[in-house]
Amino acid sequence: MNHRAMAMNGVIVGLLAYYAVLKRQEEEEEEVLERQHKSQRGNPYLRKRRNKGRFVTAFENMTQSPRVFIENFHMSESNFNYLFSLVEPYLIPKRNLRSDAMSLKTTFAVVLEMLASGNLHIQNGSSYRIKKQHMGATIDLVCDGICSALTSEFPKWDKENMLEWADDFEKQWNFPHCIGAIDAKHIQIKSPLNDDDDFYNHKGFYSIVLMAVCDASYRFTFIEVGAGGREGDTNAFSHSKLGKAVLSDSLEFPGNELLNGISTPYFMVGNDVFPLISRIMKPYGSRKRDVPERIFNHRLNRARRCIDNAFGILCAKWMAVQRTQLSNPDTAQKIVAACCSLHNFVLRTSPADQYLPKDLDAHTHTHTTLVELLSFRGRCQDYPKYIRDNIKEYVNSSSASLQNEAAEV
């Protein structure tokens, strides 16, 4: 009997333990269901998005006042709708969402207004009644969509386009053979979570580098963003896709043409941080310069200011670039790239007096052959200086109207 009693007691204890496990599993399942239920119900403030969110209460009113709409989105309503039609396919979710999910147009509007105003992500999300946890993913989604939809806003670097850019620079800025103005801009970001020194620049703050080239009308023809601020302008250029192609002479520029009777290549203009090579012209150094060199510098700097103006317009119209990026470096990179794409899009589709600041100053693959190098009777490394001297002679001979002005500088 004692053995039977002990066996019965063991069975009872086992059953009790089994039922205890089942009960705990049921409680855990109930907790999961409760969390899901709460998530579906959401925050009462956020649940009123469809009735009281900024898109519902303010967007329709802004469409009735074109000036106010442009002030908030930096483009007209027609441009907004056209751009949304281009970006919308990249915003369509891969699965069905709840009935109270944001509309695609709301998703697009909240990010576009954030890029234009430079407001904090949480501030814009709150006005549109979007969870702050969702804003990061929403920004990534829309910025990726903008960059994908507006890829064609950046022209190809082929010979035909380069000749057109050079013609514009000569007509608008009186500088020959120039296909673009090049420079780099440091975009300030918050300290990365791992305190990565690769982003800490010589100016004393964390940044990513925007390397860009623009044409004579302030349109970006090339951008590359994401290099750590520690690299500086020179390294960011040499490590960029364009820099590697230019330094290796693998980019197909138009063939050299005669300038003052000398075979002269097409090139970009930059400031002192860039190397003086046959494809990049920069001003004469800070030593005492004679009048012809000062005139050359004056004329080159007028052409080079195009990239300064392009960066200025970018920051004035898409203030997310101007403000310190509080997101991680990857998201910051997407934001800057999207703003550059929007700059080109609006510059092309909007009237100049609507987008450009009112006070803006409006004024066959060939290599450098041995025959060309021998024609100037110097060392190969001196060829860029020879080209710069020839351009100096050219602009001095054809710039009588500007000589007095430059000589006084």
Side-chain angles (χ1 to χ4, degrees), residues 42-61:
N43 186 308
Y45 175 79
L46 301 177
R47 287 172 57 193
K48 297 178 181 179
R49 178 192 308 126
R50 289 183 174 272
N51 298 321
K52 295 186 177 181
R54 177 169 170 76
F55 187 80
V56 177
T57 58
F59 187 85
E60 185 64 29
N61 291 333

Side-chain angles (χ1 to χ4, degrees), residues 33 35 90 104 112 206 237 253 269 271 279 295 338 357 362 394:
L33 291 175
R35 286 197 299 269
Y90 299 94
L104 297 183
L112 192 65
Y206 291 91
F237 167 71
F253 283 82
V269 291
N271 57 24
R279 298 303 185 185
I295 292 173
Y394 176 84

Side-chain angles (χ1 to χ4, degrees), residues 125-138:
S126 178
S127 65
Y128 281 82
R129 302 193 180 222
I130 300 171
K131 285 184 179 180
K132 63 180 181 180
Q133 297 92 332
H134 291 171
M135 271 302 293
T138 301

Side-chain angles (χ1 to χ4, degrees), residues 278-348:
S278 60
R279 298 303 185 185
I280 299 179
M281 291 291 110
K282 66 179 186 178
Y284 285 94
S286 58
R287 64 178 175 79
K288 186 175 181 180
R289 299 182 296 270
D290 57 25
V291 171
E293 290 176 345
R294 288 160 63 187
I295 292 173
F296 170 85
N297 283 4
H298 172 75
R299 189 72 70 81
L300 182 144
N301 285 328
R302 290 178 73 241
R304 192 196 60 79
R305 268 203 306 269
C306 287
I307 189 65
D308 292 337
N309 288 342
F311 285 150
I313 297 167
L314 176 71
C315 291
K317 295 299 182 179
W318 306 103
M319 296 189 69
V321 176
Q322 184 178 358
R323 304 288 173 83
T324 299
Q325 298 295 316
L326 300 181
S327 50
N328 61 67
D330 289 339
T331 298
Q333 176 181 344
K334 294 179 181 181
I335 289 173
V336 175
C339 288
C340 292
S341 300
L342 290 168
H343 168 87
N344 277 11
F345 170 79
V346 182
L347 191 61
R348 177 179 64 83

Side-chain angles (χ1 to χ4, degrees), residues 186-201:
H186 286 258
I187 310 297
Q188 188 166 354
I189 62 174
K190 71 174 183 179
S191 173
L193 292 178
N194 57 358
D195 200 27
D196 192 346
D197 288 340
D198 288 342
F199 294 96
Y200 195 75
N201 63 37

Side-chain angles (χ1 to χ4, degrees), residues 246-262:
V246 170
L247 294 174
S248 65
D249 202 16
S250 60
L251 186 61
E252 294 191 8
F253 283 82
N256 293 7
E257 293 186 5
L258 294 180
L259 202 63
N260 269 2
I262 295 176

Side-chain angles (χ1 to χ4, degrees), residues 10-143:
V11 171
I12 293 172
V13 171
L15 289 174
L16 291 175
Y18 174 72
Y19 285 121
V21 171
L22 288 180
K23 184 175 181 181
R24 180 57 187 161
Q25 289 178 344
E26 290 177 357
E27 291 175 350
E28 290 177 351
E29 290 176 357
E30 289 178 358
E31 290 177 1
V32 171
L33 291 175
E34 179 65 19
R35 286 197 299 269
Q36 291 178 347
H37 183 57
K38 288 181 178 179
S39 175
Q40 290 175 355
R41 288 182 305 186
N43 186 308
Y45 175 79
L46 301 177
R47 287 172 57 193
K48 297 178 181 179
R49 178 192 308 126
R50 289 183 174 272
N51 298 321
K52 295 186 177 181
R54 177 169 170 76
F55 187 80
V56 177
T57 58
F59 187 85
E60 185 64 29
N61 291 333
M62 286 189 287
T63 62
Q64 306 301 319
S65 177
R67 181 181 61 81
V68 174
F69 193 96
I70 292 173
E71 287 176 353
N72 282 270
F73 294 99
H74 293 170
M75 65 179 68
S76 65
E77 183 193 359
S78 59
N79 267 1
F80 177 96
N81 291 329
Y82 172 50
L83 179 60
F84 174 66
S85 69
L86 298 177
V87 178
E88 183 179 13
Y90 299 94
L91 307 182
I92 298 175
K94 297 181 180 179
R95 59 185 179 84
N96 292 329
L97 300 178
R98 302 193 313 269
S99 59
D100 65 338
M102 279 190 300
S103 69
L104 297 183
K105 202 166 188 178
T106 303
T107 301
F108 177 69
V110 63
V111 176
L112 192 65
E113 187 171 8
M114 183 272 296
L115 297 178
S117 66
N119 289 340
L120 295 176
H121 304 173
I122 190 172
Q123 181 179 355
N124 259 69
S126 178
S127 65
Y128 281 82
R129 302 193 180 222
I130 300 171
K131 285 184 179 180
K132 63 180 181 180
Q133 297 92 332
H134 291 171
M135 271 302 293
T138 301
I139 291 169
D140 284 350
L141 176 67
V142 175
C143 287

